[in-house]
Amino acid sequence: MSSAMIDLILQATLDTLYMVAVSGVISALLGMPLGVMLYVTRPRQILARPALNQVLGMVTNIGRSIPFIILMVAIIPFTRIIVGTSIGTNAAIVPLTLAAIPFVARLVEGALNEIPPGLVEAAQSMGATPHQVITKVLLPEARGGIITGLTITVVTLVSYSAMAGAVGGGGLGDLGIRYGYNRFNPTIMLITVAILVVMVQGFQSLGDYLVRKSDRK
């Protein structure tokens, strides 16, 4: 294998890590508050707003129901407005983030569902405000589940980023399609798949470690 191809593989790997890292951070920052809102605005919850909950739930479900490859194509005009182009790693971050936000929200909501209602009731009986209940009870108690959900999201983003290569998103997916599939080079395809597998295993192992560490606190 030539040094030029090795450089291409290295750059594609870095591009994939960049896309996953940026979209993962942004989707976590936006998806976690959305997940909390989905939980606390339910009927009989601390900030019960049934109408708002229905709207948030509908928007979240719509976001989750759109296949990623269709979402990428559908929001090309919006992507151009945000980053000035519809191809490349920066352009791929936009649909990756939009696809991950509702995913994170539902996973966070699911983690909060596992908290015994008695903990919230006990906090309220001691005069805790809704903000205190969220920051001192809900989020700390659901920490392990939230970390698990974020790990699942990052692993999903790795596969989505590879899929983005089909429409010029850059990264390992683009490398595998252009130099492996289109040029009938199975070696490049195998290397691409191997790197993605290692990447997924690494993220999953890191997530599992953080969950174990949070459970001991």
Side-chain angles (χ1 to χ4, degrees):
M1 185 179 297
S2 66
S3 60
M5 182 56 66
I6 293 175
D7 290 340
L8 282 174
I9 294 172
L10 177 60
Q11 186 59 52
T13 303
L14 294 176
D15 287 344
T16 295
L17 290 172
Y18 168 69
M19 287 189 288
V20 171
V22 175
S23 59
V25 169
I26 297 175
S27 62
L29 292 176
L30 298 179
M32 287 180 61
L34 177 57
V36 172
M37 286 297 296
L38 285 168
Y39 179 79
V40 299
T41 57
R42 288 177 174 181
R44 296 184 297 278
Q45 285 296 340
I46 57 175
L47 291 174
R49 301 288 189 279
L52 175 61
N53 184 266
Q54 287 184 358
V55 172
L56 293 176
M58 183 181 302
V59 172
T60 303
N61 290 338
I62 291 173
R64 293 181 62 205
S65 65
I66 303 174
F68 177 70
I69 194 69
I70 295 177
L71 176 66
M72 280 198 70
V73 176
I75 66 167
I76 282 177
F78 177 71
T79 301
R80 287 201 185 103
I81 293 173
I82 298 298
V83 297
T85 181
S86 60
I87 59 174
T89 54
N90 288 329
I93 288 172
V94 178
L96 283 171
T97 302
L98 291 180
I101 289 173
F103 193 72
V104 170
R106 286 302 187 188
L107 290 173
V108 170
E109 182 188 18
L112 294 173
N113 284 333
E114 300 300 318
I115 299 175
L119 290 177
V120 176
E121 294 171 359
Q124 288 179 306
S125 69
M126 291 186 288
T129 64
H131 180 266
Q132 290 173 326
V133 171
I134 292 171
T135 57
K136 303 296 185 181
V137 179
L138 294 179
L139 293 179
E141 288 296 325
R143 180 168 47 204
I146 291 174
I147 294 174
T148 298
L150 292 178
T151 302
I152 294 171
T153 301
V154 171
V155 169
T156 302
L157 284 172
V158 172
S159 64
Y160 280 0
S161 69
M163 197 184 306
V167 288
L172 290 168
D174 181 59
L175 178 73
I177 291 173
R178 286 196 294 133
Y179 292 91
Y181 178 77
N182 290 339
R183 300 189 183 187
F184 304 100
N185 190 335
T187 301
I188 299 300
M189 289 290 289
L190 288 174
I191 291 174
T192 300
V193 171
I195 295 174
L196 289 170
V197 169
V198 170
M199 201 176 290
V200 167
Q201 291 293 331
F203 285 131
Q204 187 64 57
S205 297
L206 176 61
D208 293 342
Y209 167 76
L210 293 175
V211 169
R212 290 194 301 270
K213 189 173 181 181
S214 68
D215 286 343
R216 290 197 294 267
K217 292 181 179 180

